Structures are given as C-alpha cells and as structure tokens.
Amino acid sequence: RAGQRTIWLALFGCLLFGPVTLAMTGPLVVYRAARNDRVAFERFKSLKIALERTATTTKDPDRLCDGPSLKEHYSGPAFSDEDWRRIAGNAVFRGGYAFMVHCREKDGYALSVYPARQQGSGTRQFCTDESGRFGCAVEWNRSRHQCLPCPK
C-alpha cells in the first residue's frame, strides 16, 4: 500500500513537472534578461571609463587596442584574461551580452555592447566612442564604426 502511494505520487509529480516548468519559464526569462541588462550596463560604463583613461594616459593608438592596457583602468564586473586578449577587435561574450572595442578607427575608438541572442539574454544595446557620446547601436559608415543615437 505504501509502495503504491509512492508510485502514484511519483507519477503525479512527473505529470506536473512539465506544466509547472512551462509556467515558470516566462518569469525566469524576464528575470534573467533584467539581471543581464544591469550587469551589461555596469560593464559598459566601466569599459567606457577604461577606454577614456587609456586614451588619455597614452598617445600610442596601439595601446588602446591592447586589452591588458584597458584592464589596468577597468573596475567593473570581471572579464577573464582571455577576454582581455580578445576584446579589442573581437566580440567577447559574458552574461548574455557581447562586448567589443572597435579600436582601429580613424582618430579614435568605438565600444559596442549588445545582447548575444535575439531573445532571452538581454534587451538593451549600448555604444560610445571617443567623443563620449552615448548611443544604442553601432554601424560601419565606410570609414569607421560610429555610434547611432537611441530611438526616442
């Protein structure tokens, strides 16, 4: 009798697992995206400051493209040593977002941050360049990457 009750409870638990998981998926995705957005913005702000400080402390444009030089001025959520080696010129993926420093620009740099996937990993895009302007997307204008203003 106790064994039969255990079997029925296990079967009932299995039948409920799918609907309960499905019901929780929406709120979990929203929570994860909000958390990713928050951490991505913190990384973006810290990378922006690191780029500005690196640009003012060195007049050598190659140093701006040197991840370890950027790391010296960075104080946000951690990137790995491999990320620092790759971030200038390559997308680095952390916390559902891609981070990229476009540093081979004419007279400057651009920083772009965007969700790694279309849905579920994040909801915002950020960019900035050596002018300090803030935007929401970056595009190639045939001579350099430029930050586009956020939609109103």
Side-chain angles (χ1 to χ4, degrees):
R1 187 121 174 113
Q4 190 177 22
R5 187 175 299 158
T6 303
I7 290 172
W8 280 110
L9 283 173
L11 180 61
F12 185 69
C14 288
L15 291 175
L16 280 181
F17 181 76
V20 168
T21 302
L22 187 60
M24 289 177 54
T25 299
L28 289 176
V29 169
V30 170
Y31 171 79
R32 183 180 64 218
R35 182 186 178 287
N36 289 351
D37 289 348
R38 197 172 49 255
V39 174
F41 188 66
E42 288 299 315
R43 280 190 170 115
F44 169 77
K45 287 189 311 186
S46 295
L47 278 169
K48 180 181 183 305
I49 291 167
L51 281 160
E52 290 167 350
R53 288 182 180 162
T54 302
T56 58
T57 59
T58 182
K59 297 301 177 200
D60 180 5
D62 288 336
R63 295 273 300 167
L64 192 58
C65 296
D66 180 42
S69 295
L70 292 173
K71 182 181 178 182
E72 289 175 20
H73 299 104
Y74 180 80
S75 63
F79 285 105
S80 71
D81 288 338
E82 178 64 21
D83 292 343
W84 286 114
R85 284 191 287 278
R86 297 178 38 80
I87 200 164
N90 296 289
V92 168
F93 297 91
R94 283 284 169 248
Y97 272 82
F99 301 83
M100 185 170 179
V101 176
H102 307 273
C103 58
R104 304 277 185 217
E105 306 299 325
K106 181 180 176 186
D107 301 323
Y109 60 85
L111 168 63
S112 62
V113 178
Y114 53 91
R117 289 180 289 144
Q118 289 275 335
Q119 295 179 337
S121 67
T123 62
R124 301 176 67 193
Q125 294 184 47
F126 317 102
C127 72
T128 191
D129 58 27
E130 73 283 347
S131 71
R133 285 178 294 199
F134 177 80
C136 290
V138 70
E139 80 172 2
W140 177 253
N141 71 4
R142 295 189 183 182
S143 67
R144 61 165 293 151
H145 289 89
Q146 73 179 42
C147 229
L148 300 177
C150 298
K152 304 263 187 253

